[in-house]
Amino acid sequence: MTTLLLATCNQGKKREIENFLKAGLVNIRLLSFADMNITAEVSETGATFAENARLKADYYSQLTGLGTLGDDSGLEVIALDGRPGVLSARYAGEGANDDARIQKLLAAMQGIVDRRARFVSAVCISRNGSALATFSGQVEGEIIFAKRGEGGFGYDPLFFYPPLGKTFAELTLEEKNRISHRALALEQLKKFLLHGGLAL
Ligand code: IMP
């Protein structure tokens, strides 16, 4: 049994990653920050999702001595030149909640006809402060004009996914985990782990 630390305090991401990896990797035990009593935070100073995922994975793997999975993700809106991008979590300022971020995005998109957007996720696996591999995934959709759905987290209620005719907040966890940006990145990570990439 291999133990892996999941380096996120975002409950929405944690739920999705646990659900995804537990379904495909029976020999992995996932620990969370709470399991390890970790309160230290790392500054997300990277210019890309991949850099930030790596900063998190490197930092917490060094801190704990455990193989560590870091995730960084966010929303890129084409008409806003890719914003909120790596600042997705801080779009409405530190300490703001999902609803404040959603209202800010709706205001920024007022009058904009081109509603195309994508979610991007990068996941990095590190050991002893050094990255072993980074994977990324993205999914295309459209920003709608008002929230729809109660599931998911973050910008999900505004992100309409044409192939299913629903927002991400209208999908079940299992449905989102079949098509999301995070699932596409995790699928590659799963293959890496199944082929002995962590080699503990
Ligand atoms: P971070 O990766 O913890 O820096 O934050 C990512 C932020 O991007 C979250 O707080 C959400 O606002 C947003 N985000 C990332 N992935 C998703 C997703 O799957 N659905 C909705 N919002 C997301």
Side-chain angles (χ1 to χ4, degrees):
M1 176 78 73
T2 301
T3 299
L4 207 57
L5 172 67
L6 183 49
T8 181
C9 43
N10 179 315
Q11 293 307 316
K13 291 202 291 195
K14 186 165 168 282
R15 207 168 35 242
E16 289 179 14
I17 295 171
E18 282 176 347
N19 174 281
F20 188 98
L21 292 182
K22 279 183 182 159
L25 294 167
V26 280
N27 283 328
I28 298 263
R29 184 167 64 117
L30 281 176
L31 295 183
S32 67
F33 283 163
D35 297 322
M36 300 286 294
N37 285 323
I38 292 174
T39 50
E41 284 183 29
V42 57
S43 306
E44 296 180 26
T45 52
T48 63
F49 295 110
E51 278 172 34
N52 280 333
R54 180 176 183 157
L55 279 174
K56 295 180 212 178
D58 283 358
Y59 177 82
Y60 292 106
S61 68
Q62 182 78 42
L63 186 75
T64 61
L66 291 174
T68 299
L69 179 61
D71 162 292
D72 197 55
S73 49
L75 179 70
E76 292 182 342
V77 178
I78 310 294
L80 299 180
D81 296 324
R83 287 188 303 280
V86 289
L87 298 177
S88 291
R90 291 161 276 169
Y91 188 46
E94 299 285 348
N97 61 15
D98 280 346
D99 210 49
R101 286 185 277 273
I102 280 182
Q103 294 314 324
K104 171 140 187 186
L105 180 62
L106 284 174
M109 296 215 49
Q110 244 178 11
I112 293 181
V113 177
D114 178 1
R115 313 292 294 188
R116 289 174 299 152
R118 68 175 81 88
F119 272 130
V120 183
S121 162
V123 295
C124 176
I125 180 124
S126 296
R127 196 174 43 193
N128 300 325
S130 162
L132 300 173
T134 306
F135 305 101
S136 60
Q138 62 179 55
V139 60
E140 317 286 331
E142 291 160 19
I143 303 301
I144 55 172
F145 294 83
K147 291 177 10 170
R148 251 171 67 177
E150 303 295 328
F153 68 97
Y155 299 93
D156 280 347
L158 288 187
F159 189 82
F160 181 78
Y161 182 63
L164 294 180
K166 291 179 180 175
T167 69
F168 267 18
E170 293 175 307
L171 303 180
T172 64
L173 176 59
E174 288 72 23
E175 283 172 329
K176 186 176 172 192
N177 261 351
R178 275 199 285 275
I179 48 105
S180 79
H181 49 315
R182 187 163 298 104
L184 292 170
L186 289 172
E187 188 59 45
Q188 300 168 67
L189 172 81
K190 192 169 86 180
K191 289 200 182 99
F192 175 81
L193 293 173
L194 284 171
H195 289 96
L198 201 50
L200 285 175

